[in-house]
Amino acid sequence: MHIRGHGLTLADVVHVAYDGSAVVEIAPDVPARLARSRALINAILAEGRIVYGVNTGFGKLSSVTISPAALTELQLNLVRSHACGVGAPLSEAETRAMMLLRANVLAQGTSGVRPVVLEQLVALLNARVHPVIPEKGSVGASGDLSPLAHLALVLIGEGEASFQGERLPGCIALARAGLRPLALEAKEGLALLNGTQAMSAVGGLALARLLDLAELADIAGALSLDALHGTAAAFDARIHAARPHPGQTAVARHLRALLDGSAIMASHRDCPRVQDAYSLRCMPQVHGAARDVFHFAQHTLETEFNSATDNPLVFTDTGEVLSGGNFHGAPVALALDACAMAAATLGGIAERRIERLLNPDLSELPAFLSRQPGLQSGLMMAQVTAAALCNENMGLAHPASVGSLPTGAAKEDFVSMGMTAALKLRTVAENLAAILAIELLVATQALPFLRPLRTSPQLQRVEDFIHTLAPPLEGDTPLTPCIQAIQTRLPDILDVARNAVAGNSA
């Protein structure tokens, strides 16, 4: 794929992050754009003009003018001093996403770097030289300074990198990949450090997962509804046309498609029960609201992927270098915090459905789906685990973006905490995946109790696939392997459901 400073999508980022064969190329028109931008920086230096970030200190030290002879040392000192992260390294996929996003920013031509800087970053990405980037230490303004500094260290042959399964000093990783360290010139260190690419990378990959989990929540919910003798009447298109939120409409349509042809549902069409519990009846409203939040976040992140987020920005059309605040992560932080709340909500409603399946007072099924209740505990603990995960997500749903703490001697007096929001969202998504795996396990363990009646042909294919991972239980057994087997195969379960629905509608 080509990068050109615009047009980068979430799907592109996911592809480069996870596909080991992905190759990134610089669009043909980009080097000339960068050369024009760099020429303006060189002209400013030649004229002796004082411009922030070019020949001054940074942040609170911006009033300090740096002599021409020290400009190279200034950039080197900046990168070294800002590499202050702690904690576990970002995953390989998150690091690759971050490298791609930073390269796309430089490709815009507003950073004032030489083309060789972008070329070096893309070369590292394609050679799979992955900087070791500690995940903690960014407050999200002036962007993700510390994570990006750890990335920049490897470009100049310092820091640490992962290459061919080994964690190595940056200079050795470069040498083994046939690359040479980059010598930074004026402004180039700052251009590599200012920006929101760490929070956007971590948050973007978490969001991509959540978009799939939102669809899986419908599948799990549909299986639960059928196992509980629920009705699809609440999913009637006319109801949702009267309140036309896009997500709500889409979820109702999806549920109708999943449940179409269920023999279980047909068997109790004339039963006296008029309404189901909210966790069943209101799936379109709740799941749909979460989807709408995820799509809002996707729009926000894709805008951010293609934005100039460093400072100052170079405008070659007027010959100006302007200082602003595009590095501030508030748009991303707020979107990711909203996603955490939406994902926690999806997990919460799923846990309520798990409870209904296992509680004999609510389900009309054996207690905890046990073959011998009392002697056996059945799936009792599955709901307990789901509740624990929901509780953790409730805490993680507290927004990071409202928790500003001033930094940089109060020059940076209101920060976004966007990286914290991204890291929280990653955990929330992982917990949601586990909760949905538990619901899929419980629902597919419940359905055999209703034989000879069966669910819809579409959901039957899902049930059959899940039973290859976790067959119907005849007695008590450790449930962790069953949950893990399903959670690992969630993408395959999603594919099975999509193909079944598509085949039914063809």
Side-chain angles (χ1 to χ4, degrees):
M1 62 166 287
H2 285 82
I3 55 169
R4 47 181 48 86
H6 58 84
L8 194 66
T9 67
L10 182 58
D12 293 331
V13 174
V14 170
H15 170 65
V16 172
Y18 291 108
D19 187 343
S21 63
V23 175
V24 175
E25 298 180 2
I26 301 168
D29 61 324
V30 168
R33 189 187 308 154
L34 267 62
R36 291 192 297 272
S37 174
R38 186 63 197 178
L40 179 55
I41 295 297
N42 290 338
I44 288 170
L45 293 171
E47 295 167 11
R49 290 162 52 190
I50 305 302
V51 175
Y52 172 73
V54 177
N55 47 18
T56 71
F58 308 106
K60 183 70 172 177
L61 304 176
S62 59
S63 59
V64 178
T65 301
I66 308 300
S67 69
L71 292 181
T72 298
E73 182 181 1
L74 173 68
Q75 301 305 307
L76 189 59
N77 287 341
L78 177 69
V79 173
R80 287 172 173 167
S81 65
H82 283 57
C84 191
V86 298
L90 297 181
S91 70
E92 179 180 293
E94 290 165 338
T95 301
R96 290 182 61 77
M98 185 175 163
M99 296 168 75
L100 173 68
L101 294 176
R102 192 67 216 163
N104 199 53
V105 168
L106 297 180
Q108 292 202 9
T110 56
S111 300
V113 302
R114 295 166 294 154
V116 69
V117 177
L118 175 58
E119 291 162 3
Q120 176 85 337
L121 181 51
V122 171
L124 258 67
L125 185 59
N126 288 333
R128 305 190 71 82
V129 175
H130 301 130
V132 175
I133 302 172
E135 66 181 12
K136 297 180 181 180
S138 171
V139 298
S142 305
D144 294 313
L145 291 171
S146 182
L148 286 165
H150 283 278
L151 188 161
L153 275 177
V154 178
L155 290 176
I156 63 175
E158 298 186 12
E160 289 186 292
S162 173
F163 180 65
Q164 295 182 344
E166 288 188 75
R167 182 165 169 168
L168 303 165
C171 58
I172 296 176
L174 288 181
R176 290 193 183 178
L179 301 172
R180 303 175 69 176
L182 177 70
L184 297 175
E185 296 187 1
K187 194 186 180 299
E188 291 178 338
L190 184 60
L192 288 167
L193 267 57
N194 265 168
T196 58
Q197 285 65 56
M199 68 178 82
S200 295
V202 175
L205 294 185
L207 173 60
R209 190 176 191 190
L210 287 172
L211 290 167
D212 284 346
L213 291 176
E215 199 172 338
L216 279 159
D218 297 349
I219 296 162
L223 285 163
S224 295
L225 180 136
D226 226 7
L228 289 165
H229 287 101
T231 176
F235 311 147
D236 189 295
R238 293 168 292 180
I239 295 173
H240 305 285
R243 193 195 195 194
H245 292 292
Q248 177 177 330
T249 301
V251 171
R253 181 171 57 247
H254 190 208
L255 290 169
R256 291 196 303 271
L258 288 165
L259 291 159
D260 183 40
S262 168
I264 296 172
M265 197 164 292
S267 73
H268 60 86
R269 187 161 285 138
D270 298 322
C271 75
R273 186 168 60 186
V274 177
Q275 290 185 331
D276 293 317
Y278 287 180
S279 59
L280 302 172
R281 190 190 346 155
C282 296
M283 283 191 283
Q285 290 80 3
V286 177
H287 292 198
R291 282 199 191 201
D292 286 341
V293 169
F294 298 154
H295 288 139
F296 155 74
Q298 181 176 0
H299 172 76
T300 299
L301 282 170
E302 289 183 337
T303 300
E304 193 76 0
F305 294 167
N306 299 288
S307 297
T309 58
D310 50 332
N311 180 58
L313 296 178
V314 178
F315 297 95
T316 56
D317 54 343
T318 62
E320 295 177 280
V321 179
L322 303 179
S323 182
N326 278 4
F327 47 65
H328 201 287
V332 176
L334 288 164
L336 298 183
D337 276 340
C339 286
M341 290 186 282
T345 299
L346 283 180
I349 195 171
E351 185 276 330
R352 289 294 78 204
R353 294 191 295 264
I354 294 166
E355 156 71 4
R356 300 192 78 82
L357 286 162
L358 296 176
N359 187 336
D361 297 331
L362 303 173
S363 69
E364 303 174 10
L365 293 163
F368 308 112
L369 304 183
S370 172
R371 301 287 177 179
Q372 299 181 64
L375 176 63
Q376 300 172 353
S377 295
L379 278 73
M380 179 191 296
M381 290 303 297
Q383 185 264 332
V384 174
T385 299
L389 293 167
C390 283
N391 179 258
E392 183 178 3
N393 278 357
M394 290 173 189
L396 292 170
H398 179 83
S401 53
V402 299
S404 173
L405 291 168
T407 61
K411 178 74 112 177
E412 299 148 5
D413 62 345
F414 193 82
V415 301
S416 75
M417 298 300 181
M419 190 59 171
T420 305
L423 294 170
K424 290 195 305 97
L425 185 62
R426 179 218 283 164
T427 303
V428 170
E430 183 67 20
N431 288 345
L432 176 58
I435 294 167
L436 293 178
I438 292 170
E439 183 178 8
L440 289 166
L441 170 66
V442 173
T444 53
Q445 291 293 321
L447 286 168
F449 285 99
L450 306 183
R451 299 287 191 260
L453 295 174
R454 290 186 177 270
T455 187
S456 70
Q458 302 79 255
L459 290 176
Q460 187 63 56
R461 288 180 60 182
V462 175
E463 180 188 350
D464 291 344
F465 182 80
I466 292 174
H467 282 165
T468 67
L469 309 173
L473 302 176
E474 297 299 327
D476 282 350
T477 187
L479 297 178
T480 296
C482 300
I483 296 167
Q484 290 177 339
I486 294 171
Q487 186 173 349
T488 300
R489 300 294 294 277
L490 286 176
D492 299 315
I493 294 169
L494 184 55
D495 285 343
V496 168
R498 285 172 174 170
N499 291 335
V501 168
N504 185 58
S505 60

